[in-house]
Amino acid sequence: MAIFFTSPLVYLIILYFSISILLLTASPTLVLNLVHSNQIYSLQSPHVSHIKEASVERLDYLKAKTTGDIIAHLSPNVPIIPQAFLVNISIGSPPVTQLLHMDTGSDLLWLQCRPCINCYAQSLPIFDPSRSYTHRNESCRTSQYSMPSLRFNAKTRSCEYSMRYMDGTGSKGILAREMLMFNTIYDESSSAALHDVVFGCGHDNYGEPLVGTGILGLGYGEFSLVHRFGTKFSYCFGSLDDPSYPHNVLVLGDDGANILGDTTPLEIYNGFYYVTIEAISVDGIILPIDPWVFNRNHQTGLGGTIMDTGISLTSLVEEAYKPLKNKIEEVFEGRFTAADVNQDDMIKVECYNGNLERDLVESGFPIVTFHFSDGAELSLDVKSVFMKLSPNVFCLAVTPGNINSIGATAQQSYNIGYDLEAKKISFERIDCGVLFDY
């Protein structure tokens, strides 16, 4: 059946998108600025109970997913400052701007869509697929540990997805394909388009609002955007204390990804990116931690250490957390008393009475180092180990949990490069601004 366009505007839009797609296909690399969530949202200082809640839910999700329990997921909501890095995209034809939470612990790109059964408030327009001429539904396909859960609806002839989280939040909707547009870092008017991107169009979104308008999943699952650009990607975070830092960047594509510095083996399991910690040191002194606590059990899927930008905090199992906490408090030499902050049960965030800048940054605090297999290291300075709760209270940005995960706070001031074909991940401490000629 022939389709005729009588509107010159429609013709120009189609021509514009076609040219963009060809440019992106010819050079499949995207270099995107990451937006610090504090640039977008005016938030109060984080309540420590929110820190606990986000951490518990995230760790329950990670544990559930690693064991294949796709019913119990975690909400990617991270109600803590610093919160998240967002990717500015536009979806559909004509394009509608969205801000998606970059998350290496999730696979699917999803966002809120009209018509809304339940949608929480967002400052940007909610995407309406009925107004996009490039929108089409995706067929259902699933694997043993499918993320998200999929179900074919014979009545509507659509593939319905469901993301159900541990904290009672979630998203349900239609699995679909759309055109995405990205603004590159080189020129405000420079953009690239990618067609037929599989995403979740969420019509029933319930629970607490997300940071941003949805999730950009960079995990290894089959729906991850990573696979559209080859086998390499990288990102570089500056200081999470500085929302105005302009050089936070995400690079997708084999030709552009920055694989720099020391490398360590990368294990991919159930969509997650695992690294092997061999030791943790404080000021060069190796802590008394048995290395087995960092190993993944290949029979049960439990254990190991996950790279996770979906949450700010780092988590360690009790056998690793306790020696680290004890050493930190030994370094304190009794200078800081425990802060009386409002916490409930499940997870304990250690907080102290003191001024982070004056007492730790200016006075100095030893480097905490994660030592990986093959000699790679991730060195954490004061602001990668602690977070400011209020002018006179700071908290440890490492929590005890049922799984080891390295969050965004520990990854700041580093370029992290993923080579999925070589099964390597690289760490390079760097000012992100030197990576590109802006």
Side-chain angles (χ1 to χ4, degrees), residues 224-244:
S224 174
L225 190 64
V226 169
H227 300 304
R228 294 294 299 269
F229 294 89
T231 60
K232 296 178 184 178
F233 72 97
S234 63
Y235 52 82
C236 191
F237 299 159
S239 171
L240 293 175
D241 269 357
D242 184 7
S244 63

Side-chain angles (χ1 to χ4, degrees), residues 43-320:
L43 300 174
Q44 297 178 346
S45 295
H47 197 283
V48 75
S49 64
H50 290 164
I51 299 172
K52 180 277 303 175
E53 181 180 350
S55 301
V56 169
E57 290 152 6
R58 186 72 178 178
L59 298 177
D60 283 343
Y61 160 62
L62 297 178
K63 184 176 181 181
K65 189 183 173 193
T66 57
T67 56
D69 180 0
I70 63 169
I71 298 175
H73 299 311
L74 147 91
S75 170
N77 190 14
V78 188
I80 173 177
I81 297 173
Q83 289 195 323
F85 286 105
L86 309 175
V87 179
N88 185 348
I89 71 158
S90 295
I91 185 169
S93 309
V96 179
T97 299
Q98 303 288 305
L99 285 168
L100 304 182
H101 181 168
M102 171 191 155
D103 186 4
T104 56
S106 299
D107 304 327
L108 181 70
L109 186 160
W110 67 268
L111 48 85
Q112 296 197 118
C113 288
R114 297 190 184 280
C116 289
I117 299 173
N118 288 296
C119 288
Y120 39 76
Q122 63 180 55
S123 57
L124 293 170
I126 295 177
F127 177 61
D128 186 346
S130 68
R131 297 187 176 184
S132 172
Y133 64 81
T134 50
H135 182 89
R136 61 188 177 91
N137 287 349
E138 171 69 352
S139 59
C140 263
R141 59 185 188 274
T142 185
S143 58
Q144 182 181 6
Y145 297 145
S146 174
M147 282 286 287
S149 175
L150 302 178
R151 182 182 72 90
F152 179 70
N153 187 321
K155 183 177 180 180
T156 61
R157 307 294 297 173
S158 62
C159 184
E160 298 177 344
Y161 79 90
S162 176
M163 301 285 286
R164 186 153 62 91
Y165 302 120
M166 290 292 296
D167 63 348
T169 65
S171 177
K172 296 179 181 178
I174 306 299
L175 199 65
R177 287 182 179 264
E178 253 298 2
M179 177 86 74
L180 296 189
M181 286 193 64
F182 306 86
N183 292 325
T184 68
I185 68 168
Y186 300 107
D187 188 334
E188 290 184 359
S189 62
S190 175
S191 59
L194 186 65
H195 68 293
D196 284 339
V197 176
V198 176
F199 80 108
C201 204
H203 300 287
D204 187 3
N205 310 289
Y206 45 93
E208 292 297 318
L210 287 166
V211 176
T213 62
I215 296 295
L216 179 67
L218 296 177
Y220 194 74
E222 65 173 312
F223 298 126
S224 174
L225 190 64
V226 169
H227 300 304
R228 294 294 299 269
F229 294 89
T231 60
K232 296 178 184 178
F233 72 97
S234 63
Y235 52 82
C236 191
F237 299 159
S239 171
L240 293 175
D241 269 357
D242 184 7
S244 63
Y245 182 76
H247 306 305
N248 303 308
V249 67
L250 168 66
V251 183
L252 297 168
D254 293 354
D255 295 333
N258 295 293
I259 312 298
L260 307 171
D262 296 332
T263 63
T264 188
L266 176 68
E267 183 183 8
I268 301 171
Y269 174 72
N270 219 10
F272 283 128
Y273 302 119
Y274 285 87
V275 291
T276 300
I277 298 177
E278 294 187 337
I280 298 176
S281 67
V282 178
D283 200 19
I285 300 173
I286 300 295
L287 300 180
I289 303 172
D290 194 322
W292 71 265
V293 306
F294 300 118
N295 295 336
R296 188 175 72 82
N297 186 314
H298 292 271
Q299 293 182 333
T300 65
L302 294 175
T305 302
I306 294 169
M307 299 295 295
D308 185 13
T309 64
I311 192 170
S312 295
L313 305 185
T314 290
S315 168
L316 295 174
V317 295
E318 188 69 28
E319 295 88 345

